[in-house]
Amino acid sequence: MLMYSIGTTAKLTGLSPYTLRYYDKVGLTPFVKRDAQGRRRFDSDGLDSLALITCLKQTGMPLEEIRQFVSWCAEGDQTLGERLALFEAQKREVTAQIHQSLLNLQKVDHKIATYKKAQQAGSEAAVDCDQIPKLTLDELLAQVQAYEVQQFSKNP
């Protein structure tokens, strides 16, 4: 099995060696192996685990909850219910974040459209800057889907 040094792991994951050491210190990486000299070594399963830890961190999950998840994984199948509940709760959190980001995107898009109109008219006074259309979550998500389709069709 191929093993990676902390430096190589840092390059592969985008995490700094300091962060990898910290994660090990606080108990997030019980899967880390050590060589004969005591240096940390990561295998491909460890890289996958780090990718999941990074994902959870990026979605706003606190390190303590991630540590609890890692602990439940080590405990085995009897914690499947707890792990499922954790991910269902995190999905609700991510959905709320997406919703807020979509609302922010809507405001930014509105301002872009407003300033384009003002620029064409030659004055901001010529356009109504305060009317932001109210869209439902489904309408916002449809806009995001259309944007993704547009972007991916340009850059296959």
Side-chain angles (χ1 to χ4, degrees):
M1 176 175 285
L2 193 56
M3 300 297 283
Y4 303 97
S5 68
I6 197 164
T8 301
T9 301
K11 288 177 185 168
L12 291 171
T13 63
L15 299 169
S16 71
Y18 171 83
T19 299
L20 292 168
R21 288 183 191 97
Y22 178 75
Y23 283 0
D24 192 33
K25 180 181 174 184
V26 298
L28 293 178
T29 57
F31 49 82
V32 171
K33 317 258 188 306
R34 301 279 180 156
D35 65 14
Q37 291 77 35
R39 293 179 295 223
R40 292 169 183 87
R41 297 290 181 206
F42 298 81
D43 59 19
S44 60
D45 289 340
L47 295 179
D48 291 342
S49 295
L50 287 169
L52 180 57
I53 290 168
T54 300
C55 170
L56 294 174
K57 183 87 175 87
Q58 289 174 343
T59 64
M61 184 178 284
L63 289 181
E64 187 56 42
E65 288 182 34
I66 298 171
R67 183 179 20 245
Q68 180 62 68
F69 166 71
V70 169
S71 174
W72 284 333
C73 290
E75 291 177 36
D77 288 346
Q78 67 266 25
T79 64
L80 287 172
E82 289 89 342
R83 289 184 266 165
L84 174 60
L86 178 88
F87 275 85
E88 287 173 336
Q90 196 62 20
K91 180 179 179 180
R92 287 189 297 275
E93 177 65 28
V94 170
T95 301
Q97 292 169 10
I98 291 169
H99 183 238
Q100 186 58 55
S101 291
L102 289 171
L103 290 173
N104 292 337
L105 178 61
Q106 180 186 14
K107 289 174 187 170
V108 168
D109 281 344
H110 173 72
K111 283 299 189 185
I112 289 169
T114 299
Y115 290 129
K116 282 181 177 179
K117 288 176 189 173
Q119 193 175 35
Q120 288 172 350
S123 171
E124 189 174 355
V127 295
D128 183 2
C129 297
D130 296 324
Q131 289 287 356
I132 298 176
K134 300 292 182 195
L135 300 177
T136 67
L137 178 58
D138 287 338
E139 291 169 327
L140 291 168
L141 289 172
Q143 285 183 353
V144 170
Q145 272 187 321
Y147 174 79
E148 288 175 343
V149 167
Q150 177 189 20
Q151 292 303 309
F152 290 122
S153 66
K154 287 181 185 177
N155 304 317

mmCIF file of all heavy atoms in Angstrom, residues 3-4 32-42:
data_model
loop_
_atom_site.group_PDB
_atom_site.id
_atom_site.type_symbol
_atom_site.label_atom_id
_atom_site.label_comp_id
_atom_site.label_asym_id
_atom_site.label_seq_id
_atom_site.Cartn_x
_atom_site.Cartn_y
_atom_site.Cartn_z
ATOM 1 N N MET A 3 2.106 4.822 0.814
ATOM 2 C CA MET A 3 1.995 5.707 1.974
ATOM 3 C C MET A 3 2.581 7.060 1.594
ATOM 4 O O MET A 3 3.563 7.146 0.862
ATOM 5 C CB MET A 3 2.756 5.121 3.167
ATOM 6 C CG MET A 3 2.266 3.754 3.614
ATOM 7 S SD MET A 3 0.574 3.753 4.197
ATOM 8 C CE MET A 3 0.775 4.462 5.802
ATOM 9 N N TYR A 4 1.961 8.122 2.117
ATOM 10 C CA TYR A 4 2.370 9.481 1.787
ATOM 11 C C TYR A 4 2.893 10.197 3.023
ATOM 12 O O TYR A 4 2.330 10.080 4.108
ATOM 13 C CB TYR A 4 1.177 10.269 1.227
ATOM 14 C CG TYR A 4 0.544 9.625 0.021
ATOM 15 C CD1 TYR A 4 -0.587 8.825 0.155
ATOM 16 C CD2 TYR A 4 1.083 9.808 -1.243
ATOM 17 C CE1 TYR A 4 -1.170 8.234 -0.946
ATOM 18 C CE2 TYR A 4 0.503 9.218 -2.354
ATOM 19 C CZ TYR A 4 -0.626 8.427 -2.201
ATOM 20 O OH TYR A 4 -1.197 7.837 -3.299
ATOM 21 N N VAL A 32 -4.150 7.870 10.935
ATOM 22 C CA VAL A 32 -2.772 8.185 10.564
ATOM 23 C C VAL A 32 -1.852 7.099 11.108
ATOM 24 O O VAL A 32 -1.934 6.708 12.272
ATOM 25 C CB VAL A 32 -2.351 9.569 11.100
ATOM 26 C CG1 VAL A 32 -0.860 9.802 10.894
ATOM 27 C CG2 VAL A 32 -3.144 10.661 10.428
ATOM 28 N N LYS A 33 -0.992 6.643 10.231
ATOM 29 C CA LYS A 33 0.001 5.635 10.626
ATOM 30 C C LYS A 33 1.310 6.362 10.941
ATOM 31 O O LYS A 33 1.486 7.526 10.608
ATOM 32 C CB LYS A 33 0.217 4.648 9.486
ATOM 33 C CG LYS A 33 -1.046 4.182 8.795
ATOM 34 C CD LYS A 33 -1.485 2.826 9.218
ATOM 35 C CE LYS A 33 -2.637 2.264 8.413
ATOM 36 N NZ LYS A 33 -3.838 3.000 8.279
ATOM 37 N N ARG A 34 2.221 5.663 11.574
ATOM 38 C CA ARG A 34 3.558 6.210 11.863
ATOM 39 C C ARG A 34 4.602 5.242 11.327
ATOM 40 O O ARG A 34 4.440 4.028 11.399
ATOM 41 C CB ARG A 34 3.762 6.362 13.379
ATOM 42 C CG ARG A 34 2.765 7.259 14.093
ATOM 43 C CD ARG A 34 3.138 8.681 13.937
ATOM 44 N NE ARG A 34 2.176 9.545 14.623
ATOM 45 C CZ ARG A 34 2.454 10.733 15.045
ATOM 46 N NH1 ARG A 34 3.653 11.240 14.868
ATOM 47 N NH2 ARG A 34 1.536 11.471 15.630
ATOM 48 N N ASP A 35 5.679 5.817 10.796
ATOM 49 C CA ASP A 35 6.771 4.955 10.349
ATOM 50 C C ASP A 35 7.691 4.665 11.531
ATOM 51 O O ASP A 35 7.425 5.089 12.665
ATOM 52 C CB ASP A 35 7.517 5.569 9.157
ATOM 53 C CG ASP A 35 8.246 6.863 9.469
ATOM 54 O OD1 ASP A 35 8.429 7.202 10.665
ATOM 55 O OD2 ASP A 35 8.643 7.556 8.512
ATOM 56 N N ALA A 36 8.775 3.961 11.281
ATOM 57 C CA ALA A 36 9.691 3.555 12.352
ATOM 58 C C ALA A 36 10.293 4.744 13.089
ATOM 59 O O ALA A 36 10.637 4.645 14.270
ATOM 60 C CB ALA A 36 10.797 2.666 11.778
ATOM 61 N N GLN A 37 10.391 5.875 12.424
ATOM 62 C CA GLN A 37 10.934 7.084 13.047
ATOM 63 C C GLN A 37 9.848 7.941 13.698
ATOM 64 O O GLN A 37 10.123 9.028 14.199
ATOM 65 C CB GLN A 37 11.694 7.939 12.019
ATOM 66 C CG GLN A 37 12.991 7.319 11.526
ATOM 67 C CD GLN A 37 12.749 6.207 10.510
ATOM 68 O OE1 GLN A 37 11.829 6.263 9.702
ATOM 69 N NE2 GLN A 37 13.582 5.172 10.572
ATOM 70 N N GLY A 38 8.594 7.485 13.658
ATOM 71 C CA GLY A 38 7.496 8.211 14.281
ATOM 72 C C GLY A 38 6.861 9.277 13.405
ATOM 73 O O GLY A 38 6.015 10.044 13.864
ATOM 74 N N ARG A 39 7.268 9.329 12.132
ATOM 75 C CA ARG A 39 6.693 10.328 11.223
ATOM 76 C C ARG A 39 5.330 9.860 10.716
ATOM 77 O O ARG A 39 5.126 8.675 10.466
ATOM 78 C CB ARG A 39 7.634 10.563 10.043
ATOM 79 C CG ARG A 39 8.942 11.224 10.457
ATOM 80 C CD ARG A 39 9.830 11.394 9.257
ATOM 81 N NE ARG A 39 10.188 10.066 8.756
ATOM 82 C CZ ARG A 39 11.400 9.703 8.360
ATOM 83 N NH1 ARG A 39 12.380 10.575 8.340
ATOM 84 N NH2 ARG A 39 11.635 8.482 7.929
ATOM 85 N N ARG A 40 4.430 10.813 10.582
ATOM 86 C CA ARG A 40 3.078 10.506 10.108
ATOM 87 C C ARG A 40 3.120 10.024 8.663
ATOM 88 O O ARG A 40 3.811 10.595 7.832
ATOM 89 C CB ARG A 40 2.191 11.742 10.226
ATOM 90 C CG ARG A 40 1.901 12.158 11.641
ATOM 91 C CD ARG A 40 1.239 13.533 11.670
ATOM 92 N NE ARG A 40 1.018 13.985 13.021
ATOM 93 C CZ ARG A 40 1.915 14.658 13.754
ATOM 94 N NH1 ARG A 40 3.089 14.968 13.236
ATOM 95 N NH2 ARG A 40 1.638 15.023 14.984
ATOM 96 N N ARG A 41 2.292 9.023 8.392
ATOM 97 C CA ARG A 41 2.144 8.487 7.042
ATOM 98 C C ARG A 41 0.657 8.316 6.766
ATOM 99 O O ARG A 41 -0.097 7.830 7.608
ATOM 100 C CB ARG A 41 2.854 7.129 6.887
ATOM 101 C CG ARG A 41 4.356 7.213 7.080
ATOM 102 C CD ARG A 41 4.970 7.945 5.914
ATOM 103 N NE ARG A 41 6.414 8.014 6.075
ATOM 104 C CZ ARG A 41 7.155 8.956 5.539
ATOM 105 N NH1 ARG A 41 6.620 9.892 4.813
ATOM 106 N NH2 ARG A 41 8.449 8.964 5.722
ATOM 107 N N PHE A 42 0.252 8.719 5.574
ATOM 108 C CA PHE A 42 -1.147 8.660 5.175
ATOM 109 C C PHE A 42 -1.293 7.707 4.003
ATOM 110 O O PHE A 42 -0.490 7.738 3.081
ATOM 111 C CB PHE A 42 -1.640 10.044 4.758
ATOM 112 C CG PHE A 42 -1.589 11.064 5.863
ATOM 113 C CD1 PHE A 42 -0.405 11.718 6.182
ATOM 114 C CD2 PHE A 42 -2.728 11.379 6.582
ATOM 115 C CE1 PHE A 42 -0.354 12.665 7.192
ATOM 116 C CE2 PHE A 42 -2.689 12.326 7.595
ATOM 117 C CZ PHE A 42 -1.503 12.970 7.904
#
